[in-house]
Amino acid sequence: MASNLSSSHSIAVPTASHLPLNGKTILVTRSVGQSSQFAELLVAAGAHVVEMPALEIGPPSSWEALDGAIALLSEFDWLILTSTNGVSYFCERLMAQGKDIRALAQVKIAAVGEKTAQTLRHHCLQPDFIPPDFVADSLVEHFPEELTGKKILFPRVESGGREILVRELTAKGAEVIEVPAYQSCCPDSVPPSAALALQSGTVDVITFASSKTVQFFCQLAEKIFSGNSSENQLSVVASSLEGVCIASIGPQTSHTCRSLLGRVDVEAQEYTLEGLTAALIKWATGS
């Protein structure tokens, strides 16, 4: 997939020495088009933000499975959406098939995370269930009704997503129909401002909001730090980031950080961008 990254993603910082993140340079690895809100939160707290999109989102290789499921929406008891991307691409395809939200009148909707729920509301859809912990694992544990015999539509990333949700729903007796709604991949290049910040050692914190951003960041960082070296990726990237704070949005992302980078220094208690910002402020102020 071609990269559409611009040459510079550095965001200026208002100087205010009393702000908690003043003097900190934070590298944000969210996907193109999804980093601005997080960057604004960090800048408002005094940080200097450098954006390095480590994820590109696009359509799946085929719409056939999703289109087929949309044609049979009335047969489903539940629609599960676990990301804003899933919501956006599902609703886009719903309209492309000549349907609107009325097609979901008899289908209950579960949304993982408040941002996913907000995106649903933007499309005039109200979720029937939001698990309390903002993570997919929490969905099965707190599901509001018996799952035996329920038919569930799960539009999701085409490849590389976690399988535990489907396994647990199936183990509870549900029939889960998985359909690719979007695809995520590693960008082709790194903004020069981000590469320079990493090479010069001016980055204080690197933030990760998903496991895939960790994986793709490591692929990109390996090129920055070692060119075409065949040396072990973990040792090259991890050793180059010694002294840089690794900040994660939640447990699954932290697991991937430990696997690929060897550690996690900050983990959000609430698994949202606001929660990650709060965790960084706590880390920076020692409170």
Side-chain angles (χ1 to χ4, degrees):
M1 184 181 298
S3 174
N4 295 315
L5 300 181
S6 61
S7 60
S8 177
H9 288 72
S10 183
I11 295 179
V13 157
T15 56
S17 59
H18 67 283
L19 294 175
L21 294 179
N22 182 62
K24 301 297 184 186
T25 295
I26 300 180
L27 192 76
V28 173
T29 60
R30 299 203 83 207
S31 63
V32 177
Q34 292 187 327
S35 62
S36 59
Q37 179 196 6
F38 187 32
E40 288 167 6
L41 289 170
L42 296 171
V43 167
H48 173 67
V49 173
V50 177
E51 296 190 43
M52 178 180 160
L55 194 70
E56 286 186 351
I57 305 296
S61 57
S62 170
W63 292 113
E64 184 177 356
L66 181 55
D67 288 350
I70 287 173
L72 301 172
L73 270 179
S74 61
E75 296 183 5
F76 291 94
D77 299 293
W78 282 86
L79 169 67
I80 291 180
L81 295 159
T82 59
S83 70
T84 57
N85 292 314
V87 174
S88 298
Y89 278 95
F90 175 83
C91 290
E92 177 185 311
R93 206 58 195 171
L94 189 70
M95 291 185 289
Q97 295 304 302
K99 299 178 182 291
D100 57 32
I101 61 172
R102 290 173 294 181
L104 290 162
Q106 304 303 315
V107 182
K108 294 179 181 178
I109 304 175
V112 175
E114 187 53 41
K115 288 294 184 293
T116 305
Q118 287 177 11
T119 307
L120 272 168
R121 295 183 189 108
H122 177 74
H123 289 279
C124 301
L125 289 166
Q126 182 65 33
D128 297 280
F129 171 54
I130 306 172
D133 297 329
F134 300 155
V135 290
D137 301 36
S138 177
L139 186 143
V140 179
E141 181 182 353
H142 297 279
F143 208 78
E145 62 183 41
E146 174 64 42
L147 282 161
T148 302
K150 293 293 188 290
K151 189 171 183 179
I152 297 173
L153 176 60
F154 182 21
R156 61 178 300 176
V157 67
E158 183 167 356
S159 62
R162 296 181 65 219
E163 304 300 326
I164 188 169
L165 179 58
V166 174
R167 287 201 306 268
E168 291 185 354
L169 289 168
T170 302
K172 294 278 188 178
E175 178 188 0
V176 183
I177 308 300
E178 300 175 80
V179 293
Y182 64 97
Q183 180 59 295
S184 59
C185 67
C186 186
D188 294 330
S189 61
V190 175
S193 57
L196 178 62
L198 286 169
Q199 289 169 331
S200 63
T202 58
V203 174
D204 298 296
V205 183
I206 302 174
T207 62
F208 296 105
S210 71
S211 287
K212 276 199 171 181
T213 56
V214 184
Q215 295 163 7
F216 293 151
F217 168 82
C218 287
Q219 292 180 30
L220 294 167
E222 185 183 18
K223 297 175 184 177
I224 292 172
F225 292 128
S226 61
N228 296 320
S229 171
S230 60
E231 190 179 346
N232 179 267
Q233 181 188 56
L234 175 60
S235 62
V236 170
V237 178
S239 62
S240 299
L241 296 179
E242 187 175 345
V244 178
C245 174
I246 304 299
S248 158
I249 200 168
Q252 288 305 316
T253 303
S254 293
H255 176 77
T256 308
C257 286
R258 292 187 185 96
S259 173
L260 295 179
L261 295 171
R263 61 189 167 90
V264 170
D265 302 298
V266 172
E267 180 180 295
Q269 291 186 320
E270 180 184 281
Y271 313 144
T272 64
L273 296 176
E274 292 81 3
L276 183 51
T277 303
L280 285 169
I281 291 172
K282 184 176 181 180
W283 164 79
T285 59
S287 60

